[in-house]
Coordinates of all heavy atoms in Angstrom, one line a residue:
F259 N -14.9 -81.4 4.3 CA -15.7 -80.4 5.1 C -16.8 -81.2 5.9 O -17.0 -80.9 7.1 CB -16.5 -79.5 4.2 CG -15.6 -78.3 3.8 CD1 -15.6 -77.9 2.4 CD2 -14.9 -77.5 4.7 CE1 -14.8 -76.8 2.0 CE2 -14.2 -76.5 4.3 CZ -14.1 -76.1 3.0
Y260 N -17.4 -82.2 5.3 CA -18.4 -83.0 6.0 C -17.7 -83.8 7.2 O -18.2 -83.8 8.3 CB -19.0 -84.0 5.0 CG -20.1 -84.9 5.7 CD1 -21.3 -84.5 6.1 CD2 -19.7 -86.3 5.8 CE1 -22.2 -85.3 6.7 CE2 -20.7 -87.1 6.4 CZ -21.9 -86.6 6.9 OH -22.8 -87.5 7.5
L261 N -16.6 -84.4 6.9 CA -15.9 -85.1 8.0 C -15.4 -84.2 9.1 O -15.4 -84.5 10.3 CB -14.7 -86.0 7.4 CG -15.2 -87.2 6.6 CD1 -13.9 -87.9 6.0 CD2 -16.0 -88.2 7.3
G262 N -15.0 -83.0 8.7 CA -14.6 -82.0 9.7 C -15.7 -81.6 10.6 O -15.5 -81.5 11.8
K263 N -16.9 -81.4 10.0 CA -18.1 -81.1 10.8 C -18.4 -82.3 11.8 O -18.7 -82.1 12.9 CB -19.3 -80.9 9.9 CG -19.3 -79.5 9.3 CD -19.8 -78.5 10.3 CE -20.1 -77.2 9.6 NZ -20.3 -76.2 10.5
I264 N -18.3 -83.5 11.3 CA -18.6 -84.7 12.1 C -17.6 -84.8 13.3 O -18.0 -85.1 14.4 CB -18.6 -86.0 11.3 CG1 -19.9 -86.0 10.4 CG2 -18.6 -87.2 12.1 CD1 -19.9 -87.1 9.4
T265 N -16.4 -84.6 13.0 CA -15.4 -84.8 14.0 C -15.4 -83.6 15.1 O -15.0 -83.8 16.2 CB -13.9 -84.9 13.4 OG1 -13.7 -83.7 12.6 CG2 -13.8 -86.1 12.6
T266 N -15.7 -82.4 14.7 CA -15.7 -81.3 15.6 C -17.1 -81.1 16.3 O -17.2 -80.4 17.3 CB -15.4 -80.0 14.9 OG1 -16.3 -79.7 13.9 CG2 -14.0 -80.0 14.4
W267 N -18.1 -81.8 15.9 CA -19.4 -81.7 16.5 C -19.4 -82.0 18.0 O -20.0 -81.3 18.8 CB -20.5 -82.5 15.7 CG -21.8 -82.5 16.3 CD1 -22.7 -81.4 16.2 CD2 -22.5 -83.5 17.1 NE1 -23.8 -81.7 16.9 CE2 -23.7 -82.9 17.5 CE3 -22.1 -84.7 17.5 CZ2 -24.6 -83.7 18.3 CZ3 -23.0 -85.4 18.3 CH2 -24.2 -84.9 18.7
P268 N -18.8 -83.2 18.4 CA -18.8 -83.4 19.9 C -18.1 -82.4 20.7 O -18.6 -82.0 21.8 CB -18.1 -84.8 20.0 CG -18.2 -85.4 18.7 CD -18.2 -84.3 17.7
V269 N -17.0 -81.8 20.2 CA -16.3 -80.8 20.9 C -17.1 -79.5 21.0 O -17.2 -78.9 22.0 CB -15.0 -80.5 20.2 CG1 -14.3 -79.3 20.8 CG2 -14.1 -81.7 20.2
E270 N -17.8 -79.2 19.9 CA -18.7 -78.0 19.9 C -19.8 -78.2 20.8 O -20.2 -77.2 21.6 CB -19.1 -77.7 18.5 CG -20.0 -76.5 18.3 CD -20.4 -76.2 16.9 OE1 -19.8 -76.9 15.9 OE2 -21.3 -75.4 16.6
R271 N -20.4 -79.3 20.8 CA -21.6 -79.6 21.7 C -21.1 -79.5 23.2 O -21.8 -78.9 24.0 CB -22.1 -81.0 21.4 CG -23.4 -81.2 22.2 CD -24.0 -82.6 21.9 NE -23.2 -83.5 22.8 CZ -23.1 -84.8 22.6 NH1 -23.7 -85.4 21.6 NH2 -22.3 -85.5 23.4
S272 N -20.0 -80.1 23.5 CA -19.4 -80.1 24.8 C -19.2 -78.6 25.3 O -19.5 -78.2 26.4 CB -18.2 -80.9 24.9 OG -17.5 -80.7 26.2
F273 N -18.6 -77.8 24.4 CA -18.3 -76.4 24.7 C -19.6 -75.7 25.0 O -19.7 -74.9 25.9 CB -17.5 -75.8 23.5 CG -17.1 -74.4 23.8 CD1 -16.1 -74.1 24.7 CD2 -17.8 -73.4 23.1 CE1 -15.8 -72.8 24.9 CE2 -17.4 -72.0 23.3 CZ -16.4 -71.7 24.2
N274 N -20.6 -75.9 24.2 CA -21.9 -75.2 24.4 C -22.6 -75.7 25.7 O -23.2 -74.8 26.4 CB -22.8 -75.5 23.2 CG -22.4 -74.7 21.9 OD1 -21.7 -73.7 22.0 ND2 -22.8 -75.2 20.8
Q275 N -22.5 -76.9 26.0 CA -23.0 -77.4 27.2 C -22.3 -76.8 28.4 O -22.9 -76.5 29.4 CB -22.9 -79.0 27.3 CG -23.9 -79.6 26.4 CD -23.8 -81.1 26.4 OE1 -22.7 -81.7 26.8 NE2 -24.8 -81.9 26.0
K276 N -21.0 -76.7 28.3 CA -20.2 -76.0 29.4 C -20.7 -74.6 29.6 O -20.9 -74.1 30.7 CB -18.7 -76.1 29.1 CG -17.8 -75.5 30.2 CD -16.4 -75.5 29.8 CE -16.2 -74.3 28.9 NZ -14.9 -73.8 28.7
K277 N -20.8 -73.9 28.5 CA -21.3 -72.5 28.6 C -22.7 -72.4 29.3 O -22.9 -71.6 30.1 CB -21.3 -71.8 27.2 CG -20.0 -71.4 26.7 CD -20.1 -70.5 25.5 CE -21.1 -71.0 24.4 NZ -21.0 -70.2 23.2

Side-chain angles (χ1 to χ4, degrees):
F259 279 130
Y260 178 72
L261 291 177
K263 282 279 192 194
I264 288 174
T265 56
T266 59
W267 179 75
V269 174
E270 185 178 345
R271 189 182 78 198
S272 173
F273 183 72
N274 289 336
Q275 287 175 340
K276 181 185 81 164
K277 284 192 314 186

